[in-house]
Amino acid sequence: MRLTPEELRARKRRNVWIASALVAFIVLVFATTVLRLQQNQAAERELERAVATSQP
C-alpha cells in the first residue's frame, strides 16, 4: 500500500504533535519532581531547626 504525499505529510504532522506532547509530559514530570524535592528539603531543614532549638 502506497501513501499519497498528502497522507505522508499528515502522518509526519501527527508524529510531530505526538512527540511534542511526549516531551511536554516529560518536562512536566521532571519539573514536578524537582519542586517536590525542594519542598521536602525545605521541610526537613525546618524540622531540624525546630529540633535543634527545642533541645536544652
Side-chain angles (χ1 to χ4, degrees):
M1 181 175 141
R2 242 179 134 88
L3 298 177
T4 65
E6 185 176 306
E7 290 171 329
L8 289 172
R9 279 192 300 275
R11 178 191 282 177
K12 183 175 182 179
R13 215 174 17 248
R14 191 168 43 249
N15 287 343
V16 167
W17 278 107
I18 291 171
S20 299
L22 184 59
V23 167
F25 177 72
I26 291 169
V27 168
L28 178 65
V29 169
F30 178 75
T32 302
T33 302
V34 168
L35 290 173
R36 294 294 302 250
L37 286 172
Q38 288 176 346
Q39 288 174 347
N40 288 340
Q41 286 178 341
E44 189 174 331
R45 281 193 300 270
E46 193 64 34
L47 180 62
E48 289 173 354
R49 196 174 303 128
V51 169
T53 57
S54 67
Q55 291 179 351

